[in-house]
Amino acid sequence: MTNDTIAALATPPGRGGVGVVRVSGSAVISIAESVLGSCPAPRQAVLKKFLDSDTNSIDSGLALYFPGPHSFTGEDVLELQGHGGRVVMDMLLTRLFELGARPARPGEFSERAFLNDKIDLAQAEAIADLIDSGSSEAARAAMRSLQGEFSRRVHELAEQMLYLRMYIEAAIDFPEEEIDFLADTKLQQRIVECQATMQALLADTEQGCVLREGLVLVIAGLPNAGKSSLLNALAGRESAIVTDIPGTTRDVLREHIQINGLPLEIIDTAGLRDSDDSIEKEGVKRAWAEIEKADRLLFVLDENIGMDTDTQALLEKLPVNMPRTLVHNKIDLADHEPGVVNQGEETHVYVSAKTGLGLEALSEHLQNCAGYREAGSDSFSARRRHLEALRRAAECVNKGVDALQHQQAGELVAEDLRCAHQELGSITGEVSSDDLLGEIFSSFCIGK
């Protein structure tokens, strides 16, 4: 448990009705006595003047004191709620620093809550996910993770593995008991149940990652194919300028939308062609840079023109492993039916960005590409590192099952289960490195 005291603004800086400053650590009581005249009674909001070193009033507002360990961080915590002006908040923070507090690092309040066993690591990450959620479904899922739903599922799986490890290692350590665990049908059944639990948790974690991260979609193609019109149609507003002049889009345009709760970042780019115009050349360069980073490419082509040589040549230049969808636009002019057509490994979606024909089919296609289903009451938010840890744990379990079935090697099974158990521990923070903790909490906002 740390002994120093930290302070930070917990509300966004700038002009607002209320600004909140948080203080946590061993010096909270003495700081409260200096700033407020006396420390408030625990968990009672009291109207106080906030005093400077000369006992002049900096501001007045509500003060709340939460004695440890019954606080968010597990330490003594003081919250001062004053008027939300930048100068006022800076003066208050300066006074707190004079009294021995230091500026909090990003995420340090949540980090202390984790280190003091108030929350586990998955719950701590859910705090940031709740703040950053891009849809109501993502916010609800993050809240369930914060309340411990994801951690509970991980712990249940860890307990299943722990039972298997205890049984197998006991049979190895005490061979005189003549326990033939390899022939025990109950053990076989428990391993199968463990695999099933793992797969179910993996599927829900993949969904949790999609809810949190969504997809980055880049719209690309030849000039005047209707890329900007498609962006406007998906965004539901006139975000991009649309004209009949090829090459209107010169820079990257971004829109954040959601489809049935699925967060999407849609990026419109300049038409991909050779040009002597230095501004357009820079736009094309930026377009290729965005294509390289996309989760999926929406390649737009004019259905009136079809798959001509220029389009074919451009398709051949695209990254080989880039997931892509060919969007045939302007079907209202080409007299083509809207819908999705799969041709081998290529998916073609026929739409009219102008009239809206086929956009519903495109939306369903994008949800299917993301493996997304509408969030249910048991969904939770998850991160890429959680998913990777679960995948490694699943590989360990499958490897152990293979060793059991084909090599009859109990020692190998026990080691594989131990590795899987460690991977699960890394999700909740029971097994973690300082580097991992530093990386996670540094992405939080200051004051949280």
XYZ file of all heavy atoms in Angstrom, residues 27-104:
581
model
N -2.197 11.490 3.817
C -2.254 12.856 4.342
C -3.606 13.518 4.152
O -3.734 14.736 4.346
C -1.167 13.706 3.674
N -4.622 12.762 3.789
C -5.932 13.339 3.474
C -6.526 14.100 4.663
O -7.046 15.216 4.511
C -6.901 12.242 2.985
C -8.359 12.667 3.179
C -6.658 11.936 1.517
N -6.447 13.521 5.855
C -7.065 14.169 7.017
C -6.390 15.512 7.310
O -7.063 16.531 7.532
C -7.010 13.238 8.247
C -7.917 12.017 8.030
C -7.444 13.989 9.507
C -7.895 11.013 9.162
N -5.057 15.537 7.310
C -4.353 16.794 7.603
C -4.603 17.830 6.511
O -4.729 19.029 6.799
C -2.853 16.528 7.751
O -2.287 16.055 6.541
N -4.687 17.380 5.252
C -4.989 18.294 4.152
C -6.401 18.857 4.314
O -6.633 20.062 4.128
C -4.834 17.577 2.799
C -3.352 17.366 2.484
C -5.500 18.375 1.671
C -3.093 16.562 1.223
N -7.366 17.995 4.670
C -8.749 18.451 4.870
C -8.822 19.485 5.985
O -9.537 20.498 5.873
C -9.644 17.259 5.182
N -8.077 19.269 7.056
C -8.095 20.218 8.175
C -7.530 21.565 7.759
O -7.992 22.612 8.210
C -7.316 19.630 9.352
C -8.034 18.453 10.010
C -7.179 17.752 11.059
O -5.942 18.025 11.083
O -7.718 16.947 11.828
N -6.515 21.558 6.872
C -5.901 22.817 6.433
C -6.767 23.548 5.418
O -6.910 24.778 5.479
C -4.522 22.540 5.837
O -3.653 21.994 6.794
N -7.354 22.800 4.489
C -8.123 23.424 3.407
C -9.537 23.768 3.844
O -10.104 24.778 3.413
C -8.152 22.494 2.168
C -9.080 23.037 1.088
C -6.762 22.328 1.601
N -10.112 22.938 4.714
C -11.521 23.101 5.083
C -11.725 23.622 6.507
O -12.854 23.989 6.871
C -12.253 21.758 4.941
C -12.162 21.066 3.578
C -12.793 19.675 3.645
C -12.835 21.901 2.499
N -10.670 23.589 7.301
C -10.812 23.977 8.707
C -11.017 22.775 9.597
O -10.603 22.767 10.754
N -11.648 21.746 9.067
C -11.854 20.490 9.797
C -12.189 19.405 8.789
O -12.662 19.703 7.683
C -12.977 20.616 10.828
O -14.209 20.895 10.176
N -11.944 18.165 9.177
C -12.266 17.054 8.278
C -13.749 16.710 8.394
O -14.264 16.536 9.511
C -11.417 15.832 8.638
S -11.585 14.470 7.457
N -14.479 16.621 7.294
C -15.911 16.302 7.363
C -16.160 14.919 7.954
O -15.277 14.053 7.949
C -16.353 16.349 5.896
C -15.283 17.096 5.169
C -14.017 16.820 5.911
N -17.355 14.709 8.448
C -17.745 13.379 8.906
C -17.759 12.429 7.710
O -18.029 12.846 6.579
C -19.128 13.438 9.558
N -17.463 11.151 7.926
C -17.383 10.199 6.812
C -18.678 10.126 6.006
O -19.777 10.086 6.578
C -17.100 8.861 7.504
C -16.431 9.237 8.785
C -17.094 10.527 9.205
N -18.518 10.159 4.689
C -19.607 9.937 3.735
C -20.790 10.898 3.915
O -21.936 10.540 3.687
C -20.072 8.473 3.793
C -19.057 7.505 3.249
C -19.463 6.063 3.465
N -19.465 5.728 4.884
C -18.364 5.419 5.592
N -17.195 5.418 5.000
N -18.433 5.121 6.860
N -20.513 12.122 4.341
C -21.544 13.151 4.450
C -21.103 14.389 3.677
O -20.012 14.919 3.912
C -21.802 13.528 5.913
C -22.463 12.408 6.712
C -22.814 12.841 8.124
O -22.969 14.034 8.393
N -22.935 11.881 9.029
N -21.936 14.860 2.756
C -21.606 16.047 1.977
C -21.803 17.291 2.843
O -22.871 17.486 3.425
C -22.485 16.125 0.736
N -20.740 18.094 2.916
C -20.775 19.289 3.764
C -20.387 20.505 2.924
O -19.430 20.453 2.149
C -19.788 19.145 4.946
C -19.860 20.376 5.836
C -20.091 17.894 5.745
N -21.124 21.607 3.061
C -20.782 22.845 2.373
C -19.646 23.526 3.135
O -19.764 23.830 4.316
C -21.997 23.770 2.303
C -21.774 25.113 1.600
C -21.405 24.896 0.130
C -23.020 25.986 1.713
N -18.516 23.750 2.440
C -17.325 24.299 3.081
C -16.685 25.370 2.208
O -16.834 25.364 0.981
C -16.296 23.188 3.323
C -16.670 22.205 4.417
C -16.292 22.757 5.771
C -16.418 21.702 6.869
N -15.981 22.229 8.179
N -15.912 26.259 2.848
C -15.035 27.154 2.121
C -13.695 26.452 1.921
O -13.206 25.777 2.825
C -14.831 28.453 2.899
C -16.059 29.353 2.973
C -15.750 30.635 3.731
C -16.979 31.542 3.772
N -16.685 32.791 4.533
N -13.113 26.613 0.727
C -11.801 26.047 0.433
C -10.773 27.158 0.661
O -10.790 28.177 -0.045
C -11.733 25.534 -1.001
C -12.835 24.555 -1.363
C -13.257 24.412 -2.682
C -13.459 23.786 -0.393
C -14.255 23.525 -3.021
C -14.475 22.893 -0.716
C -14.873 22.761 -2.040
N -9.889 26.966 1.634
C -9.028 28.041 2.122
C -7.604 27.935 1.579
O -7.061 26.838 1.413
C -8.980 28.018 3.653
C -10.345 28.019 4.363
C -10.156 27.858 5.863
C -11.099 29.318 4.049
N -6.973 29.102 1.322
C -5.569 29.120 0.931
C -4.695 29.194 2.175
O -5.192 29.099 3.320
C -5.284 30.269 -0.038
C -5.494 31.650 0.573
O -5.614 31.750 1.813
O -5.536 32.631 -0.181
N -3.402 29.420 2.015
C -2.464 29.409 3.145
C -2.708 30.562 4.113
O -2.308 30.487 5.281
C -1.026 29.449 2.630
O -0.821 30.599 1.815
N -3.352 31.630 3.640
C -3.673 32.778 4.505
C -5.103 32.727 5.014
O -5.636 33.738 5.501
C -3.455 34.088 3.739
C -2.004 34.281 3.323
O -1.116 33.919 4.118
O -1.772 34.738 2.185
N -5.739 31.561 4.880
C -7.140 31.317 5.273
C -8.125 32.184 4.509
O -9.252 32.417 4.964
C -7.362 31.481 6.800
O -7.162 32.843 7.146
C -6.437 30.578 7.583
N -7.691 32.672 3.365
C -8.624 33.342 2.462
C -9.348 32.294 1.635
O -8.819 31.211 1.356
C -7.881 34.309 1.540
C -7.256 35.463 2.299
O -7.864 36.011 3.216
N -6.021 35.811 1.935
N -10.569 32.626 1.226
C -11.393 31.665 0.501
C -10.987 31.596 -0.975
O -11.022 32.608 -1.681
C -12.866 32.042 0.618
O -13.664 31.128 -0.095
N -10.603 30.400 -1.415
C -10.348 30.155 -2.840
C -11.672 29.949 -3.570
O -11.895 30.462 -4.670
C -9.462 28.902 -3.029
C -8.103 29.090 -2.365
C -9.300 28.561 -4.519
C -7.261 27.824 -2.337
N -12.563 29.208 -2.918
C -13.854 28.827 -3.504
C -14.691 28.254 -2.384
O -14.221 28.087 -1.242
C -13.626 27.804 -4.628
C -14.880 27.563 -5.467
O -15.841 28.347 -5.345
O -14.896 26.590 -6.247
N -15.923 27.933 -2.653
C -16.761 27.206 -1.693
C -17.527 26.142 -2.445
O -17.851 26.303 -3.628
C -17.729 28.147 -0.979
O -18.628 28.723 -1.909
N -17.796 25.047 -1.763
C -18.514 23.953 -2.406
C -18.679 22.783 -1.461
O -18.518 22.918 -0.241
N -18.994 21.631 -2.016
C -19.223 20.436 -1.213
C -17.918 19.684 -0.986
O -17.082 19.573 -1.886
C -20.225 19.511 -1.892
C -21.657 20.031 -2.031
C -22.532 19.005 -2.739
C -22.251 20.373 -0.657
N -17.775 19.158 0.226
C -16.627 18.325 0.575
C -17.135 16.985 1.086
O -18.091 16.939 1.869
C -15.770 19.007 1.628
N -16.512 15.904 0.618
C -16.882 14.557 1.058
C -15.622 13.798 1.454
O -14.614 13.832 0.730
C -17.603 13.788 -0.042
C -18.988 14.287 -0.408
C -18.996 14.763 -1.853
C -20.005 13.173 -0.230
N -15.690 13.126 2.598
C -14.552 12.358 3.102
C -14.938 10.877 3.175
O -15.972 10.533 3.742
C -14.136 12.873 4.484
C -13.172 11.970 5.221
C -11.931 11.646 4.679
C -13.511 11.444 6.465
C -11.038 10.826 5.358
C -12.630 10.621 7.168
C -11.398 10.318 6.602
O -10.531 9.494 7.267
N -14.107 10.029 2.572
C -14.325 8.579 2.589
C -13.108 7.926 3.246
O -12.039 7.822 2.629
C -14.486 8.027 1.165
C -15.588 8.679 0.373
C -15.323 9.786 -0.436
C -16.889 8.209 0.442
C -16.330 10.399 -1.161
C -17.909 8.817 -0.277
C -17.627 9.923 -1.084
N -13.236 7.494 4.504
C -12.076 6.891 5.169
C -11.769 5.507 4.594
O -12.678 4.754 4.239
C -12.522 6.790 6.635
C -14.014 6.791 6.590
C -14.409 7.594 5.394
N -10.482 5.208 4.474
C -10.092 3.876 4.039
C -10.306 2.868 5.159
O -10.373 3.238 6.339
N -10.484 1.598 4.869
C -10.406 0.999 3.523
C -11.726 1.041 2.739
O -11.803 0.502 1.658
C -10.009 -0.445 3.838
C -10.705 -0.732 5.133
C -10.643 0.558 5.914
N -12.722 1.704 3.318
C -14.047 1.713 2.672
C -14.170 2.901 1.722
O -15.017 3.789 1.904
C -15.149 1.724 3.733
C -15.039 0.600 4.712
N -15.150 -0.719 4.339
C -14.779 0.603 6.048
C -14.986 -1.489 5.415
N -14.753 -0.714 6.457
N -13.319 2.934 0.731
C -13.333 3.975 -0.284
C -12.969 3.343 -1.619
O -12.605 2.163 -1.682
C -12.322 5.082 0.064
O -10.989 4.584 -0.064
N -13.037 4.131 -2.689
C -12.735 3.591 -4.015
C -11.306 3.070 -4.100
O -11.047 1.982 -4.619
C -12.964 4.666 -5.082
C -12.519 4.254 -6.454
C -13.194 3.262 -7.158
C -11.418 4.846 -7.055
C -12.779 2.864 -8.422
C -10.989 4.466 -8.315
C -11.680 3.472 -9.001
N -10.350 3.827 -3.571
C -8.943 3.416 -3.667
C -8.515 2.492 -2.537
O -7.439 1.901 -2.600
C -8.024 4.652 -3.643
O -8.183 5.326 -2.392
C -8.320 5.596 -4.788
N -9.335 2.386 -1.477
C -8.931 1.630 -0.295
C -8.155 2.485 0.687
O -7.805 2.035 1.777
N -7.877 3.755 0.324
C -7.175 4.701 1.189
C -8.157 5.794 1.616
O -9.293 5.837 1.140
C -6.008 5.343 0.419
C -5.045 4.366 -0.186
C -4.076 5.031 -1.159
O -4.396 6.122 -1.681
O -3.004 4.446 -1.394
N -7.715 6.675 2.488
C -8.520 7.859 2.796
C -8.673 8.688 1.523
O -7.686 8.946 0.814
C -7.837 8.710 3.870
C -7.915 8.074 5.251
O -8.653 7.089 5.399
O -7.221 8.557 6.162
N -9.908 9.096 1.219
C -10.183 9.862 0.003
C -10.993 11.102 0.361
O -11.921 11.042 1.175
C -10.969 9.013 -1.032
C -11.430 9.868 -2.210
C -10.098 7.862 -1.539
N -10.608 12.223 -0.250
C -11.339 13.475 -0.082
C -11.758 13.970 -1.456
O -10.943 13.980 -2.389
C -10.452 14.528 0.594
C -11.056 15.922 0.800
C -12.175 15.872 1.833
C -9.977 16.915 1.215
N -13.021 14.359 -1.604
C -13.503 14.960 -2.841
C -13.989 16.370 -2.559
O -14.788 16.588 -1.647
C -14.635 14.137 -3.469
C -14.159 12.866 -4.137
C -15.185 12.275 -5.090
O -16.267 12.875 -5.246
O -14.904 11.210 -5.664
N -13.497 17.318 -3.355
C -13.882 18.718 -3.222
C -14.612 19.117 -4.499
O -14.044 19.070 -5.594
C -12.649 19.589 -3.009
C -11.769 19.226 -1.807
C -10.527 20.095 -1.770
C -12.554 19.349 -0.513
N -15.866 19.511 -4.364
C -16.693 19.868 -5.514
C -16.937 21.373 -5.507
O -17.727 21.883 -4.722
C -18.023 19.117 -5.461
C -17.860 17.605 -5.413
C -19.185 16.878 -5.337
O -20.246 17.462 -5.533
N -19.131 15.579 -5.052
N -16.199 22.073 -6.374
C -16.316 23.525 -6.442
C -16.840 23.979 -7.782
O -17.394 23.200 -8.564
N -16.662 25.270 -8.067
C -17.099 25.819 -9.352
C -16.095 25.435 -10.433
O -14.883 25.502 -10.226
C -17.246 27.335 -9.249
C -18.311 27.750 -8.287
N -18.072 27.981 -6.953
C -19.644 27.953 -8.476
C -19.192 28.310 -6.353
N -20.177 28.304 -7.241
N -16.610 25.054 -11.592
C -15.766 24.484 -12.630
C -15.090 25.487 -13.520
O -15.295 25.482 -14.737
N -14.260 26.346 -12.957
C -13.456 27.265 -13.748
C -12.009 26.825 -13.734
O -11.514 26.327 -12.717
N -11.297 27.003 -14.836
C -9.917 26.536 -14.918
C -9.036 27.171 -13.841
O -8.261 26.485 -13.172
C -9.346 26.841 -16.303
C -7.952 26.291 -16.530
C -7.435 26.690 -17.900
N -8.193 26.071 -18.960
C -7.936 24.857 -19.440
N -6.961 24.120 -18.914
N -8.658 24.369 -20.431
N -9.159 28.501 -13.652
C -8.316 29.203 -12.677
C -8.631 28.736 -11.263
O -7.732 28.484 -10.450
C -8.487 30.730 -12.804
C -7.723 31.450 -11.695
C -8.010 31.201 -14.172
N -9.920 28.615 -10.948
C -10.334 28.187 -9.603
C -9.786 26.799 -9.286
O -9.227 26.562 -8.206
C -11.873 28.191 -9.486
C -12.312 27.609 -8.149
C -12.417 29.597 -9.640
N -9.917 25.871 -10.239
C -9.439 24.516 -10.024
C -7.914 24.476 -9.901
O -7.365 23.746 -9.075
C -9.895 23.604 -11.170
C -11.392 23.320 -11.188
S -11.946 22.284 -9.796
C -12.734 23.516 -8.758
N -7.235 25.279 -10.701
C -5.769 25.329 -10.617
C -5.323 25.872 -9.259
O -4.348 25.373 -8.668
C -5.194 26.208 -11.735
C -5.229 25.529 -13.092
O -5.455 24.302 -13.129
O -5.034 26.214 -14.116
N -6.011 26.901 -8.752
C -5.671 27.458 -7.441
C -5.880 26.427 -6.341
O -5.064 26.305 -5.422
C -6.522 28.696 -7.166
C -6.187 29.903 -8.042
S -7.374 31.268 -7.841
C -7.108 31.704 -6.127
N -6.965 25.650 -6.455
C -7.253 24.625 -5.443
C -6.204 23.517 -5.491
O -5.703 23.074 -4.445
C -8.655 24.072 -5.670
C -9.149 23.014 -4.670
C -9.052 23.537 -3.236
C -10.581 22.606 -4.996
N -5.852 23.080 -6.686
C -4.834 22.032 -6.818
C -3.476 22.521 -6.307
O -2.752 21.774 -5.632
C -4.715 21.593 -8.277
C -5.794 20.630 -8.776
C -5.702 20.471 -10.291
C -5.678 19.271 -8.100
N -3.134 23.753 -6.626
C -1.870 24.322 -6.142
C -1.807 24.294 -4.621
O -0.767 23.966 -4.022
C -1.700 25.768 -6.647
O -1.676 25.752 -8.074
C -0.415 26.377 -6.121
N -2.928 24.621 -3.980
C -2.993 24.576 -2.516
C -2.792 23.154 -2.000
O -2.070 22.927 -1.009
C -4.339 25.134 -2.050
C -4.569 25.080 -0.542
C -3.560 25.896 0.207
N -3.821 25.882 1.645
C -2.871 25.913 2.569
N -1.589 25.959 2.219
N -3.181 25.918 3.854
N -3.393 22.171 -2.654
C -3.243 20.776 -2.232
C -1.802 20.320 -2.386
O -1.277 19.585 -1.541
C -4.179 19.878 -3.046
C -5.683 20.131 -2.888
C -6.482 19.264 -3.848
C -6.126 19.882 -1.457
N -1.137 20.752 -3.454
C 0.263 20.381 -3.660
C 1.160 21.039 -2.611
O 2.156 20.454 -2.170
C 0.713 20.759 -5.077
C -0.063 20.079 -6.180
C -0.258 20.702 -7.399
C -0.621 18.821 -5.984
C -0.964 20.088 -8.415
C -1.345 18.195 -6.987
C -1.523 18.832 -8.205
N 0.810 22.253 -2.189
C 1.563 22.924 -1.125
C 1.487 22.130 0.181
O 2.428 22.132 0.978
C 1.005 24.329 -0.877
C 1.286 25.335 -1.981
C 0.577 26.654 -1.743
O -0.215 26.742 -0.766
O 0.797 27.591 -2.524
N 0.382 21.440 0.374
C 0.147 20.705 1.620
C 0.686 19.277 1.576
O 0.450 18.497 2.507
C -1.348 20.686 1.931
C -1.950 22.056 2.283
C -3.460 21.991 2.303
C -1.404 22.533 3.633
N 1.404 18.931 0.504
C 2.079 17.633 0.486
C 1.559 16.624 -0.514
O 2.164 15.548 -0.673
N 0.440 16.917 -1.161
C -0.032 15.999 -2.206
C 0.828 16.190 -3.459
O 1.474 17.225 -3.641
C -1.498 16.259 -2.528
N 0.844 15.211 -4.314
C 1.524 15.328 -5.604
C 0.522 15.068 -6.721
O -0.517 14.414 -6.500
C 2.697 14.349 -5.708
C 2.311 12.882 -5.710
C 3.467 12.010 -6.173
N 3.153 10.592 -6.048
C 2.458 9.894 -6.942
N 1.959 10.498 -8.015
N 2.228 8.607 -6.762
N 0.809 15.561 -7.941
C -0.118 15.297 -9.054
C -0.235 13.806 -9.343
O 0.773 13.097 -9.402
C 0.540 16.035 -10.231
C 1.435 17.051 -9.608
C 1.923 16.440 -8.327
N -1.447 13.341 -9.499
C -1.669 11.919 -9.797
C -1.271 11.616 -11.230
O -1.443 12.441 -12.130
C -3.132 11.564 -9.569
